Each structure stands twice: as structure tokens, then as C-alpha cells.
Amino acid sequence: MGLFDLFRSRPKNTASVAAERLRIIVMQERKADGRGGHDYLPTMRREILEVIRKYVNVDADAIDIHVTREGEDEVLELSVTLPERDRDAGAERGRADEASSGAD
Amino acid sequence: MSEVIVVTSGKGGVGKTTTSASLAVGLARRGKKVAVIDFDVGLRNLDLIMGCERRVVYDFVNVIQGECTLKQALIKDKRIDTLFVLAASQTRDKDALTKEGVERVLKELDEDGFDYVLCDSPAGIEKGAALAMYFADRAVVVVNPEVSSVRDSDRILGLLASKTRRAEQGGTGVEQHLLLTRYNPERVANGDMMGITDVKDILGIDVIGVIPESEGVLTASNAGVPVILDDASDAGQAYADAVARLCGETLPMRFTEAQKKGFFSRIFGG
């Protein structure tokens, strides 16, 4: 490092970015390999996605499945993000139904 | 029984052949009878790194296909009498290696009293790499502190845990070690390169050696002298330490801390 380098701004710590990205991708790939102990997770995720897609058009990454430990128990967490537009359309349909039943 | 050690990595260019050559020399220098086999059929290179490229008459595939005896194909090292090289074939036929053939060669080496057989794996996860690891008792996974190398190493760890004879037998499995190469302590200190702990934590296995990025590695390969024979180079000394750890010794890591720079080099660079 020379004199002029002192005036250059330090880039941010890229090594910790690399380590963090790797922790996530390696964990995912181990699960996909069946090394995480839950080799059914990728298949289950795919099947759940298919079922949801019968009713709502969601993206492939809309489903998040995690297995976490809480003391002795393992907890399966499943979260599905529905797209904004479909939810609005569903809500409107619901209101229309109400309105028509009210008229009866 | 001879111990079979695979040197593997997934990604190419991380230093598998350099490592195989130096570990083989290191073990042989300790008086062990060692064979080092190049599994990279079609892209032979171990012979160049070992400096015996002009003495290759028969190769691994010739032995497997029964075109010569194992004794005829083993090239005796000119520096250490207990070290032998089995070169890869330059054939383009990818099916030249067979599981039965490899098993037969390993059995014969065992009967000939070899203490160690090092298998220098090709890059990738195709047949050559699969066969290089299949019969292994131990694996040295060579990794650079860089994202693609670390990710590929984890794929290899997965294969070692499932696609090897030891994994199929269901016992303790293949004993796995990491060997970091091209390690640059200054860049680690600056936060530009992942450190030993980062790589070790991500992959979850022990580190048997850390080889610093060193000019010695290229000059050694230029000359066909495995870098471990260059006692003056830090990479050579780091390989010697790794060999000692393979043999069960406990040694602290060297060449892993950034050099403290003096006042003048801070101001004027260098």
C-alpha cells in the first residue's frame, strides 16, 4: 500500500459478503442433496407449489420452507407469499358475492 | 493395508495436482512406500509436475486393459526410492477406466507393500472423479478461499458421503480434510478474502493445511520439482506441515498471518 492508497476509499468487506452468500447456498444445496436430514423437503415444496398453483398463480420462489429446532421439537415453517393482484381480485369477488346475496 | 487418499476438489485449477505431488513426496520422504496415480484420463499432467514426463512408457489405462503389468507402468522417482508415479493415459476414451480395473490395481499395490496410494482426481464430478474417490479411505479436499471453489467443494463432500465404497459399507465413511491453497493472509486481513475460519465453518470439516499463495509453486512446476522439495519456499514448508498432520502430528498453522509492514513500506508501498 502506497501513499496514494491512503486517499482512496476502502471498499466494503467483500470476504464477509462471500461467506454469507456461501452459508446460505451451501445450506440449501445440502438440503437438496438430502444431507440436511430432510431429503423430502424439495419434493414436498414442489408438490405444495403445484397444489397452490391450481388456485393462485404464484411464483416458484413464493414458498419458503424451513425446519427449525425448538428445544426437543422440530418445527416445520411454511410461508406462502400471494401476489398482490390476485388477492385484490379475490377480495372484489368476495364483495360482489356479498352484494348479490344482499339483494336477495 | 495400504491407505488410499484421494486428492479432489470439484473445481479445476485449485491445485489438486500440485497437492498430490507434494503430499506424495512428503509421505515418501518420511520413509513410506507411496504410489501417486493420475486419474485425469485425456489430460495427463501429474507427470509434468513430478518431472517424469519423458519416462512415461505405459500408463494407468494400459495396466487396466492388461496391455502391460503394473510394475512396467510404475515410474520410480529419481529423487526418492520409495515413490512411484502411475501416469494417466492421453486416450480420449472416457470409459477406459473401470471400477473393477481400478480396484484390481489398488489391490495389487496393497499386495506390493505400498503404505499409501494417492489418487489425483480430475476436476468435475464425472466418471474419472467418481472413480478417483470411490475406493478412498481418506480425502483431501483442495479449496481456494473463493466462492465457486468453496461451493464445488461442498458438492464433493456430498459425493464422498454417498458415492464411495466406505459410504456404501455404512461404517465411519471416508475421513475428510480440507486443504486451503492460494491463501493470501494480507488479503484476508484486508477483508478481501475469506479466512480459514470462514471456509472451515461453511464446509464443516477440519483443515489439514493452509498453503500460502507463493511464487515458489510456479517455479517448482516449471522445473518439474514438487514444491515441497523447495525447503526455502513458504508453500513447500506449509506442505511439509500438512504431511506431518496427515501422519497424525499436531502442528500450528504457519504463514497464515499478514506480515506487519514497516514504516517505510507503508509510506512508499511495496
mmCIF file of all heavy atoms in Angstrom, chain A residues 1-4 6 10-23 25-27 29-30 33 35, chain B residues 146-147 150-151 154-155 157-158 161 190-194 198 201-204 261 265-270:
data_model
loop_
_atom_site.group_PDB
_atom_site.id
_atom_site.type_symbol
_atom_site.label_atom_id
_atom_site.label_comp_id
_atom_site.label_asym_id
_atom_site.label_seq_id
_atom_site.Cartn_x
_atom_site.Cartn_y
_atom_site.Cartn_z
ATOM 1 N N MET A 1 0.845 -1.194 0.000
ATOM 2 C CA MET A 1 0.000 0.000 0.000
ATOM 3 C C MET A 1 0.883 1.247 0.000
ATOM 4 O O MET A 1 1.744 1.403 0.849
ATOM 5 C CB MET A 1 -0.902 -0.020 1.235
ATOM 6 C CG MET A 1 -1.943 1.042 1.178
ATOM 7 S SD MET A 1 -3.308 0.755 2.301
ATOM 8 C CE MET A 1 -2.506 0.754 3.866
ATOM 9 N N GLY A 2 0.682 2.109 -0.969
ATOM 10 C CA GLY A 2 1.499 3.308 -1.069
ATOM 11 C C GLY A 2 0.769 4.520 -0.510
ATOM 12 O O GLY A 2 -0.366 4.422 -0.034
ATOM 13 N N LEU A 3 1.442 5.665 -0.597
ATOM 14 C CA LEU A 3 0.893 6.911 -0.054
ATOM 15 C C LEU A 3 -0.470 7.231 -0.642
ATOM 16 O O LEU A 3 -1.409 7.610 0.061
ATOM 17 C CB LEU A 3 1.889 8.034 -0.364
ATOM 18 C CG LEU A 3 1.565 9.403 0.223
ATOM 19 C CD1 LEU A 3 1.502 9.320 1.740
ATOM 20 C CD2 LEU A 3 2.618 10.404 -0.211
ATOM 21 N N PHE A 4 -0.607 7.045 -1.964
ATOM 22 C CA PHE A 4 -1.848 7.467 -2.621
ATOM 23 C C PHE A 4 -3.036 6.584 -2.254
ATOM 24 O O PHE A 4 -4.174 7.029 -2.296
ATOM 25 C CB PHE A 4 -1.648 7.528 -4.138
ATOM 26 C CG PHE A 4 -0.669 8.590 -4.497
ATOM 27 C CD1 PHE A 4 0.627 8.268 -4.855
ATOM 28 C CD2 PHE A 4 -1.045 9.932 -4.415
ATOM 29 C CE1 PHE A 4 1.539 9.256 -5.149
ATOM 30 C CE2 PHE A 4 -0.129 10.931 -4.710
ATOM 31 C CZ PHE A 4 1.180 10.590 -5.077
ATOM 32 N N LEU A 6 -3.867 5.755 0.552
ATOM 33 C CA LEU A 6 -4.484 6.255 1.778
ATOM 34 C C LEU A 6 -5.685 7.142 1.461
ATOM 35 O O LEU A 6 -6.606 7.260 2.249
ATOM 36 C CB LEU A 6 -3.457 7.043 2.597
ATOM 37 C CG LEU A 6 -2.295 6.224 3.157
ATOM 38 C CD1 LEU A 6 -1.292 7.147 3.828
ATOM 39 C CD2 LEU A 6 -2.805 5.186 4.156
ATOM 40 N N ARG A 10 -11.875 2.883 1.155
ATOM 41 C CA ARG A 10 -11.777 1.436 1.316
ATOM 42 C C ARG A 10 -13.037 0.781 0.765
ATOM 43 O O ARG A 10 -14.132 1.206 1.078
ATOM 44 C CB ARG A 10 -11.657 1.058 2.803
ATOM 45 C CG ARG A 10 -10.374 1.502 3.436
ATOM 46 C CD ARG A 10 -9.190 0.608 3.122
ATOM 47 N NE ARG A 10 -9.492 -0.819 3.228
ATOM 48 C CZ ARG A 10 -8.976 -1.714 2.391
ATOM 49 N NH1 ARG A 10 -8.215 -1.329 1.396
ATOM 50 N NH2 ARG A 10 -9.247 -2.986 2.552
ATOM 51 N N PRO A 11 -12.897 -0.258 -0.064
ATOM 52 C CA PRO A 11 -14.100 -0.975 -0.478
ATOM 53 C C PRO A 11 -14.683 -1.702 0.729
ATOM 54 O O PRO A 11 -13.975 -1.927 1.702
ATOM 55 C CB PRO A 11 -13.564 -1.987 -1.492
ATOM 56 C CG PRO A 11 -12.136 -2.159 -1.156
ATOM 57 C CD PRO A 11 -11.668 -0.884 -0.516
ATOM 58 N N LYS A 12 -15.971 -2.052 0.670
ATOM 59 C CA LYS A 12 -16.517 -2.743 1.840
ATOM 60 C C LYS A 12 -16.015 -4.177 1.875
ATOM 61 O O LYS A 12 -15.486 -4.694 0.899
ATOM 62 C CB LYS A 12 -18.040 -2.667 1.861
ATOM 63 C CG LYS A 12 -18.708 -3.394 0.734
ATOM 64 C CD LYS A 12 -20.208 -3.315 0.922
ATOM 65 C CE LYS A 12 -20.857 -4.163 -0.143
ATOM 66 N NZ LYS A 12 -22.143 -4.645 0.201
ATOM 67 N N ASN A 13 -16.167 -4.793 3.019
ATOM 68 C CA ASN A 13 -15.597 -6.103 3.263
ATOM 69 C C ASN A 13 -16.272 -7.179 2.409
ATOM 70 O O ASN A 13 -17.321 -7.696 2.750
ATOM 71 C CB ASN A 13 -15.756 -6.387 4.746
ATOM 72 C CG ASN A 13 -15.034 -7.630 5.160
ATOM 73 O OD1 ASN A 13 -14.906 -8.571 4.369
ATOM 74 N ND2 ASN A 13 -14.555 -7.651 6.383
ATOM 75 N N THR A 14 -15.646 -7.504 1.281
ATOM 76 C CA THR A 14 -16.270 -8.452 0.358
ATOM 77 C C THR A 14 -16.157 -9.884 0.844
ATOM 78 O O THR A 14 -16.962 -10.723 0.487
ATOM 79 C CB THR A 14 -15.626 -8.355 -1.037
ATOM 80 O OG1 THR A 14 -14.234 -8.603 -0.918
ATOM 81 C CG2 THR A 14 -15.855 -6.997 -1.657
ATOM 82 N N ALA A 15 -15.158 -10.180 1.683
ATOM 83 C CA ALA A 15 -14.988 -11.551 2.175
ATOM 84 C C ALA A 15 -16.187 -11.972 3.015
ATOM 85 O O ALA A 15 -16.666 -13.105 2.904
ATOM 86 C CB ALA A 15 -13.707 -11.664 2.990
ATOM 87 N N SER A 16 -16.714 -11.040 3.832
ATOM 88 C CA SER A 16 -17.848 -11.428 4.680
ATOM 89 C C SER A 16 -19.116 -11.579 3.841
ATOM 90 O O SER A 16 -19.967 -12.411 4.138
ATOM 91 C CB SER A 16 -18.059 -10.432 5.812
ATOM 92 O OG SER A 16 -18.247 -9.156 5.279
ATOM 93 N N VAL A 17 -19.200 -10.809 2.749
ATOM 94 C CA VAL A 17 -20.319 -10.982 1.822
ATOM 95 C C VAL A 17 -20.253 -12.380 1.202
ATOM 96 O O VAL A 17 -21.243 -13.117 1.146
ATOM 97 C CB VAL A 17 -20.293 -9.913 0.697
ATOM 98 C CG1 VAL A 17 -21.393 -10.169 -0.322
ATOM 99 C CG2 VAL A 17 -20.425 -8.513 1.288
ATOM 100 N N ALA A 18 -19.059 -12.768 0.762
ATOM 101 C CA ALA A 18 -18.860 -14.096 0.157
ATOM 102 C C ALA A 18 -19.237 -15.193 1.143
ATOM 103 O O ALA A 18 -19.953 -16.139 0.787
ATOM 104 C CB ALA A 18 -17.398 -14.255 -0.271
ATOM 105 N N ALA A 19 -18.770 -15.060 2.379
ATOM 106 C CA ALA A 19 -19.033 -16.105 3.375
ATOM 107 C C ALA A 19 -20.530 -16.230 3.638
ATOM 108 O O ALA A 19 -21.059 -17.345 3.741
ATOM 109 C CB ALA A 19 -18.283 -15.788 4.669
ATOM 110 N N GLU A 20 -21.210 -15.099 3.706
ATOM 111 C CA GLU A 20 -22.647 -15.123 3.977
ATOM 112 C C GLU A 20 -23.416 -15.770 2.827
ATOM 113 O O GLU A 20 -24.290 -16.614 3.025
ATOM 114 C CB GLU A 20 -23.140 -13.679 4.215
ATOM 115 C CG GLU A 20 -24.525 -13.584 4.820
ATOM 116 C CD GLU A 20 -24.722 -14.516 6.025
ATOM 117 O OE1 GLU A 20 -23.788 -14.668 6.824
ATOM 118 O OE2 GLU A 20 -25.810 -15.121 6.120
ATOM 119 N N ARG A 21 -23.064 -15.371 1.598
ATOM 120 C CA ARG A 21 -23.734 -15.968 0.419
ATOM 121 C C ARG A 21 -23.509 -17.475 0.392
ATOM 122 O O ARG A 21 -24.417 -18.245 0.111
ATOM 123 C CB ARG A 21 -23.174 -15.348 -0.864
ATOM 124 C CG ARG A 21 -23.609 -13.910 -1.072
ATOM 125 C CD ARG A 21 -22.882 -13.292 -2.240
ATOM 126 N NE ARG A 21 -23.157 -13.997 -3.481
ATOM 127 C CZ ARG A 21 -22.295 -14.094 -4.507
ATOM 128 N NH1 ARG A 21 -21.096 -13.547 -4.408
ATOM 129 N NH2 ARG A 21 -22.617 -14.719 -5.586
ATOM 130 N N LEU A 22 -22.283 -17.891 0.698
ATOM 131 C CA LEU A 22 -21.977 -19.329 0.677
ATOM 132 C C LEU A 22 -22.725 -20.093 1.757
ATOM 133 O O LEU A 22 -23.200 -21.192 1.521
ATOM 134 C CB LEU A 22 -20.472 -19.542 0.832
ATOM 135 C CG LEU A 22 -19.675 -19.354 -0.450
ATOM 136 C CD1 LEU A 22 -18.191 -19.279 -0.139
ATOM 137 C CD2 LEU A 22 -19.941 -20.499 -1.423
ATOM 138 N N ARG A 23 -22.833 -19.491 2.956
ATOM 139 C CA ARG A 23 -23.551 -20.184 4.034
ATOM 140 C C ARG A 23 -24.957 -20.525 3.582
ATOM 141 O O ARG A 23 -25.435 -21.630 3.774
ATOM 142 C CB ARG A 23 -23.607 -19.308 5.290
ATOM 143 C CG ARG A 23 -22.403 -19.516 6.131
ATOM 144 C CD ARG A 23 -22.478 -18.913 7.516
ATOM 145 N NE ARG A 23 -21.110 -18.904 7.998
ATOM 146 C CZ ARG A 23 -20.333 -17.831 7.985
ATOM 147 N NH1 ARG A 23 -20.801 -16.666 7.587
ATOM 148 N NH2 ARG A 23 -19.086 -17.921 8.396
ATOM 149 N N ILE A 25 -26.269 -20.663 0.350
ATOM 150 C CA ILE A 25 -26.396 -21.567 -0.806
ATOM 151 C C ILE A 25 -25.957 -22.989 -0.441
ATOM 152 O O ILE A 25 -26.590 -23.976 -0.842
ATOM 153 C CB ILE A 25 -25.644 -21.013 -2.046
ATOM 154 C CG1 ILE A 25 -26.047 -21.784 -3.307
ATOM 155 C CG2 ILE A 25 -24.144 -21.033 -1.897
ATOM 156 C CD1 ILE A 25 -27.426 -21.503 -3.776
ATOM 157 N N VAL A 26 -24.913 -23.102 0.375
ATOM 158 C CA VAL A 26 -24.438 -24.431 0.770
ATOM 159 C C VAL A 26 -25.498 -25.140 1.612
ATOM 160 O O VAL A 26 -25.780 -26.326 1.422
ATOM 161 C CB VAL A 26 -23.093 -24.325 1.524
ATOM 162 C CG1 VAL A 26 -22.777 -25.595 2.306
ATOM 163 C CG2 VAL A 26 -21.961 -24.037 0.541
ATOM 164 N N MET A 27 -26.148 -24.384 2.499
ATOM 165 C CA MET A 27 -27.206 -24.982 3.330
ATOM 166 C C MET A 27 -28.346 -25.485 2.448
ATOM 167 O O MET A 27 -28.830 -26.599 2.624
ATOM 168 C CB MET A 27 -27.719 -23.927 4.311
ATOM 169 C CG MET A 27 -28.448 -24.481 5.501
ATOM 170 S SD MET A 27 -28.822 -23.156 6.657
ATOM 171 C CE MET A 27 -29.894 -22.124 5.661
ATOM 172 N N GLU A 29 -28.237 -26.301 -0.755
ATOM 173 C CA GLU A 29 -27.835 -27.426 -1.597
ATOM 174 C C GLU A 29 -27.668 -28.711 -0.788
ATOM 175 O O GLU A 29 -27.912 -29.795 -1.296
ATOM 176 C CB GLU A 29 -26.560 -27.072 -2.373
ATOM 177 C CG GLU A 29 -26.891 -26.091 -3.488
ATOM 178 C CD GLU A 29 -25.674 -25.570 -4.242
ATOM 179 O OE1 GLU A 29 -24.544 -25.760 -3.775
ATOM 180 O OE2 GLU A 29 -25.880 -24.958 -5.287
ATOM 181 N N ARG A 30 -27.282 -28.569 0.472
ATOM 182 C CA ARG A 30 -27.182 -29.763 1.319
ATOM 183 C C ARG A 30 -28.561 -30.344 1.550
ATOM 184 O O ARG A 30 -28.724 -31.560 1.552
ATOM 185 C CB ARG A 30 -26.541 -29.406 2.658
ATOM 186 C CG ARG A 30 -25.062 -29.259 2.530
ATOM 187 C CD ARG A 30 -24.403 -29.019 3.863
ATOM 188 N NE ARG A 30 -22.972 -28.872 3.654
ATOM 189 C CZ ARG A 30 -22.092 -28.788 4.630
ATOM 190 N NH1 ARG A 30 -22.494 -28.825 5.882
ATOM 191 N NH2 ARG A 30 -20.805 -28.657 4.359
ATOM 192 N N ASP A 33 -29.605 -32.157 -1.499
ATOM 193 C CA ASP A 33 -28.862 -33.420 -1.612
ATOM 194 C C ASP A 33 -29.366 -34.466 -0.628
ATOM 195 O O ASP A 33 -28.924 -35.603 -0.656
ATOM 196 C CB ASP A 33 -27.379 -33.197 -1.228
ATOM 197 C CG ASP A 33 -26.559 -32.803 -2.418
ATOM 198 O OD1 ASP A 33 -27.151 -32.582 -3.471
ATOM 199 O OD2 ASP A 33 -25.325 -32.723 -2.268
ATOM 200 N N ARG A 35 -28.689 -34.109 2.524
ATOM 201 C CA ARG A 35 -27.682 -34.178 3.578
ATOM 202 C C ARG A 35 -28.128 -33.482 4.841
ATOM 203 O O ARG A 35 -27.536 -33.617 5.886
ATOM 204 C CB ARG A 35 -26.359 -33.576 3.099
ATOM 205 C CG ARG A 35 -25.534 -34.570 2.338
ATOM 206 C CD ARG A 35 -24.166 -34.006 2.091
ATOM 207 N NE ARG A 35 -24.177 -32.992 1.059
ATOM 208 C CZ ARG A 35 -23.221 -32.086 0.912
ATOM 209 N NH1 ARG A 35 -22.219 -32.045 1.728
ATOM 210 N NH2 ARG A 35 -23.296 -31.216 -0.079
ATOM 211 N N GLU B 146 -12.502 -18.883 -2.146
ATOM 212 C CA GLU B 146 -13.184 -18.149 -3.215
ATOM 213 C C GLU B 146 -14.526 -18.838 -3.427
ATOM 214 O O GLU B 146 -14.604 -20.065 -3.279
ATOM 215 C CB GLU B 146 -12.247 -18.221 -4.432
ATOM 216 C CG GLU B 146 -12.716 -17.706 -5.723
ATOM 217 C CD GLU B 146 -13.465 -18.755 -6.488
ATOM 218 O OE1 GLU B 146 -13.088 -19.939 -6.424
ATOM 219 O OE2 GLU B 146 -14.452 -18.390 -7.129
ATOM 220 N N VAL B 147 -15.577 -18.088 -3.777
ATOM 221 C CA VAL B 147 -16.939 -18.645 -3.725
ATOM 222 C C VAL B 147 -17.164 -19.911 -4.553
ATOM 223 O O VAL B 147 -17.730 -20.884 -4.063
ATOM 224 C CB VAL B 147 -18.036 -17.604 -4.079
ATOM 225 C CG1 VAL B 147 -18.214 -16.608 -2.942
ATOM 226 C CG2 VAL B 147 -17.759 -16.898 -5.377
ATOM 227 N N VAL B 150 -15.392 -23.020 -3.041
ATOM 228 C CA VAL B 150 -15.983 -23.496 -1.783
ATOM 229 C C VAL B 150 -17.297 -24.238 -2.066
ATOM 230 O O VAL B 150 -17.551 -25.319 -1.536
ATOM 231 C CB VAL B 150 -16.227 -22.328 -0.799
ATOM 232 C CG1 VAL B 150 -16.985 -22.794 0.433
ATOM 233 C CG2 VAL B 150 -14.902 -21.699 -0.392
ATOM 234 N N ARG B 151 -18.110 -23.675 -2.952
ATOM 235 C CA ARG B 151 -19.370 -24.326 -3.276
ATOM 236 C C ARG B 151 -19.138 -25.702 -3.911
ATOM 237 O O ARG B 151 -19.767 -26.690 -3.540
ATOM 238 C CB ARG B 151 -20.155 -23.450 -4.249
ATOM 239 C CG ARG B 151 -21.497 -24.035 -4.595
ATOM 240 C CD ARG B 151 -22.028 -23.346 -5.822
ATOM 241 N NE ARG B 151 -23.476 -23.336 -5.832
ATOM 242 C CZ ARG B 151 -24.194 -22.651 -6.711
ATOM 243 N NH1 ARG B 151 -23.603 -21.901 -7.604
ATOM 244 N NH2 ARG B 151 -25.497 -22.700 -6.681
ATOM 245 N N ASP B 154 -18.161 -28.335 -1.503
ATOM 246 C CA ASP B 154 -19.264 -28.884 -0.722
ATOM 247 C C ASP B 154 -20.008 -29.962 -1.505
ATOM 248 O O ASP B 154 -20.463 -30.947 -0.936
ATOM 249 C CB ASP B 154 -20.235 -27.789 -0.289
ATOM 250 C CG ASP B 154 -21.208 -28.339 0.742
ATOM 251 O OD1 ASP B 154 -20.737 -28.709 1.834
ATOM 252 O OD2 ASP B 154 -22.417 -28.442 0.454
ATOM 253 N N ARG B 155 -20.099 -29.785 -2.808
ATOM 254 C CA ARG B 155 -20.709 -30.834 -3.653
ATOM 255 C C ARG B 155 -19.887 -32.122 -3.543
ATOM 256 O O ARG B 155 -20.416 -33.213 -3.460
ATOM 257 C CB ARG B 155 -20.748 -30.390 -5.119
ATOM 258 C CG ARG B 155 -21.556 -29.143 -5.367
ATOM 259 C CD ARG B 155 -23.022 -29.432 -5.530
ATOM 260 N NE ARG B 155 -23.274 -30.205 -6.737
ATOM 261 C CZ ARG B 155 -24.232 -31.114 -6.845
ATOM 262 N NH1 ARG B 155 -24.997 -31.384 -5.822
ATOM 263 N NH2 ARG B 155 -24.405 -31.757 -7.973
ATOM 264 N N LEU B 157 -17.965 -32.987 -1.062
ATOM 265 C CA LEU B 157 -18.155 -33.584 0.267
ATOM 266 C C LEU B 157 -19.428 -34.427 0.286
ATOM 267 O O LEU B 157 -19.465 -35.504 0.894
ATOM 268 C CB LEU B 157 -18.227 -32.487 1.346
ATOM 269 C CG LEU B 157 -16.941 -31.701 1.583
ATOM 270 C CD1 LEU B 157 -17.175 -30.606 2.612
ATOM 271 C CD2 LEU B 157 -15.825 -32.618 2.051
ATOM 272 N N GLY B 158 -20.454 -33.954 -0.424
ATOM 273 C CA GLY B 158 -21.699 -34.711 -0.525
ATOM 274 C C GLY B 158 -21.482 -36.043 -1.224
ATOM 275 O O GLY B 158 -22.018 -37.074 -0.808
ATOM 276 N N ALA B 161 -19.658 -38.535 0.866
ATOM 277 C CA ALA B 161 -20.514 -39.102 1.908
ATOM 278 C C ALA B 161 -21.553 -40.069 1.353
ATOM 279 O O ALA B 161 -22.292 -40.687 2.113
ATOM 280 C CB ALA B 161 -21.203 -37.968 2.668
ATOM 281 N N ASN B 190 -7.269 -7.662 5.012
ATOM 282 C CA ASN B 190 -7.970 -6.515 4.432
ATOM 283 C C ASN B 190 -9.462 -6.754 4.243
ATOM 284 O O ASN B 190 -10.196 -5.852 3.864
ATOM 285 C CB ASN B 190 -7.397 -6.193 3.044
ATOM 286 C CG ASN B 190 -6.102 -5.428 3.147
ATOM 287 O OD1 ASN B 190 -5.837 -4.824 4.180
ATOM 288 N ND2 ASN B 190 -5.316 -5.465 2.084
ATOM 289 N N GLY B 191 -9.885 -7.989 4.435
ATOM 290 C CA GLY B 191 -11.304 -8.302 4.240
ATOM 291 C C GLY B 191 -11.670 -8.574 2.796
ATOM 292 O O GLY B 191 -12.839 -8.573 2.432
ATOM 293 N N ASP B 192 -10.666 -8.821 1.939
ATOM 294 C CA ASP B 192 -10.951 -9.118 0.530
ATOM 295 C C ASP B 192 -11.010 -10.615 0.265
ATOM 296 O O ASP B 192 -11.346 -11.031 -0.832
ATOM 297 C CB ASP B 192 -9.822 -8.604 -0.384
ATOM 298 C CG ASP B 192 -9.612 -7.132 -0.238
ATOM 299 O OD1 ASP B 192 -10.567 -6.441 0.146
ATOM 300 O OD2 ASP B 192 -8.483 -6.679 -0.503
ATOM 301 N N MET B 193 -10.586 -11.420 1.222
ATOM 302 C CA MET B 193 -10.549 -12.872 1.008
ATOM 303 C C MET B 193 -11.074 -13.563 2.257
ATOM 304 O O MET B 193 -10.770 -13.130 3.368
ATOM 305 C CB MET B 193 -9.097 -13.317 0.721
ATOM 306 C CG MET B 193 -8.942 -14.784 0.403
ATOM 307 S SD MET B 193 -7.218 -15.260 0.123
ATOM 308 C CE MET B 193 -7.068 -15.055 -1.639
ATOM 309 N N MET B 194 -11.848 -14.633 2.043
ATOM 310 C CA MET B 194 -12.350 -15.389 3.184
ATOM 311 C C MET B 194 -11.189 -16.020 3.947
ATOM 312 O O MET B 194 -10.227 -16.475 3.344
ATOM 313 C CB MET B 194 -13.296 -16.493 2.706
ATOM 314 C CG MET B 194 -14.661 -15.980 2.318
ATOM 315 S SD MET B 194 -15.737 -17.326 1.807
ATOM 316 C CE MET B 194 -15.130 -17.616 0.154
ATOM 317 N N ASP B 198 -13.762 -18.927 8.142
ATOM 318 C CA ASP B 198 -14.941 -18.822 7.272
ATOM 319 C C ASP B 198 -15.140 -20.124 6.498
ATOM 320 O O ASP B 198 -16.211 -20.723 6.515
ATOM 321 C CB ASP B 198 -14.761 -17.696 6.234
ATOM 322 C CG ASP B 198 -14.910 -16.319 6.865
ATOM 323 O OD1 ASP B 198 -15.733 -16.189 7.795
ATOM 324 O OD2 ASP B 198 -14.220 -15.389 6.412
ATOM 325 N N ASP B 201 -15.958 -23.137 8.703
ATOM 326 C CA ASP B 201 -17.325 -23.104 9.235
ATOM 327 C C ASP B 201 -18.354 -23.454 8.169
ATOM 328 O O ASP B 201 -19.310 -24.169 8.423
ATOM 329 C CB ASP B 201 -17.652 -21.715 9.799
ATOM 330 C CG ASP B 201 -16.936 -21.459 11.102
ATOM 331 O OD1 ASP B 201 -16.321 -22.412 11.616
ATOM 332 O OD2 ASP B 201 -16.978 -20.316 11.588
ATOM 333 N N ILE B 202 -18.152 -22.932 6.962
ATOM 334 C CA ILE B 202 -19.119 -23.189 5.896
ATOM 335 C C ILE B 202 -19.128 -24.668 5.534
ATOM 336 O O ILE B 202 -20.179 -25.276 5.384
ATOM 337 C CB ILE B 202 -18.801 -22.332 4.647
ATOM 338 C CG1 ILE B 202 -19.021 -20.840 4.952
ATOM 339 C CG2 ILE B 202 -19.663 -22.745 3.456
ATOM 340 C CD1 ILE B 202 -18.362 -19.905 3.964
ATOM 341 N N LEU B 203 -17.957 -25.265 5.411
ATOM 342 C CA LEU B 203 -17.884 -26.653 4.954
ATOM 343 C C LEU B 203 -17.955 -27.661 6.103
ATOM 344 O O LEU B 203 -18.300 -28.822 5.888
ATOM 345 C CB LEU B 203 -16.614 -26.867 4.125
ATOM 346 C CG LEU B 203 -16.592 -26.047 2.820
ATOM 347 C CD1 LEU B 203 -15.259 -26.212 2.111
ATOM 348 C CD2 LEU B 203 -17.729 -26.463 1.898
ATOM 349 N N GLY B 204 -17.641 -27.201 7.296
ATOM 350 C CA GLY B 204 -17.819 -28.045 8.473
ATOM 351 C C GLY B 204 -16.863 -29.217 8.612
ATOM 352 O O GLY B 204 -17.215 -30.221 9.224
ATOM 353 N N LYS B 261 3.799 -4.519 8.342
ATOM 354 C CA LYS B 261 4.615 -3.708 7.445
ATOM 355 C C LYS B 261 5.368 -2.627 8.222
ATOM 356 O O LYS B 261 4.842 -2.068 9.169
ATOM 357 C CB LYS B 261 3.721 -3.037 6.402
ATOM 358 C CG LYS B 261 3.317 -4.006 5.313
ATOM 359 C CD LYS B 261 2.730 -3.256 4.152
ATOM 360 C CE LYS B 261 2.546 -4.225 2.976
ATOM 361 N NZ LYS B 261 1.940 -3.550 1.831
ATOM 362 N N SER B 265 7.672 0.915 4.169
ATOM 363 C CA SER B 265 6.876 0.232 3.154
ATOM 364 C C SER B 265 5.424 0.722 3.192
ATOM 365 O O SER B 265 4.721 0.718 2.199
ATOM 366 C CB SER B 265 6.956 -1.278 3.316
ATOM 367 O OG SER B 265 6.339 -1.675 4.510
ATOM 368 N N ARG B 266 4.967 1.187 4.367
ATOM 369 C CA ARG B 266 3.626 1.755 4.441
ATOM 370 C C ARG B 266 3.531 3.036 3.607
ATOM 371 O O ARG B 266 2.554 3.288 2.927
ATOM 372 C CB ARG B 266 3.306 2.151 5.886
ATOM 373 C CG ARG B 266 2.519 1.127 6.641
ATOM 374 C CD ARG B 266 2.333 1.668 8.047
ATOM 375 N NE ARG B 266 2.273 0.574 8.990
ATOM 376 C CZ ARG B 266 1.136 -0.077 9.236
ATOM 377 N NH1 ARG B 266 0.028 0.269 8.640
ATOM 378 N NH2 ARG B 266 1.139 -1.076 10.093
ATOM 379 N N ILE B 267 4.560 3.868 3.713
ATOM 380 C CA ILE B 267 4.536 5.162 3.038
ATOM 381 C C ILE B 267 4.812 5.015 1.546
ATOM 382 O O ILE B 267 4.122 5.584 0.710
ATOM 383 C CB ILE B 267 5.586 6.115 3.655
ATOM 384 C CG1 ILE B 267 5.261 6.362 5.135
ATOM 385 C CG2 ILE B 267 5.638 7.450 2.913
ATOM 386 C CD1 ILE B 267 3.912 7.001 5.401
ATOM 387 N N PHE B 268 5.821 4.214 1.224
ATOM 388 C CA PHE B 268 6.251 4.175 -0.178
ATOM 389 C C PHE B 268 5.719 2.974 -0.947
ATOM 390 O O PHE B 268 5.996 2.842 -2.126
ATOM 391 C CB PHE B 268 7.783 4.220 -0.251
ATOM 392 C CG PHE B 268 8.325 5.476 0.343
ATOM 393 C CD1 PHE B 268 9.018 5.455 1.538
ATOM 394 C CD2 PHE B 268 8.107 6.701 -0.292
ATOM 395 C CE1 PHE B 268 9.503 6.631 2.097
ATOM 396 C CE2 PHE B 268 8.598 7.875 0.269
ATOM 397 C CZ PHE B 268 9.297 7.840 1.474
ATOM 398 N N GLY B 269 4.979 2.111 -0.283
ATOM 399 C CA GLY B 269 4.426 0.938 -0.965
ATOM 400 C C GLY B 269 5.423 -0.179 -1.050
ATOM 401 O O GLY B 269 6.581 -0.034 -0.686
ATOM 402 N N GLY B 270 4.948 -1.322 -1.536
ATOM 403 C CA GLY B 270 5.848 -2.468 -1.720
ATOM 404 C C GLY B 270 5.609 -3.546 -0.718
ATOM 405 O O GLY B 270 4.733 -3.500 0.086
#
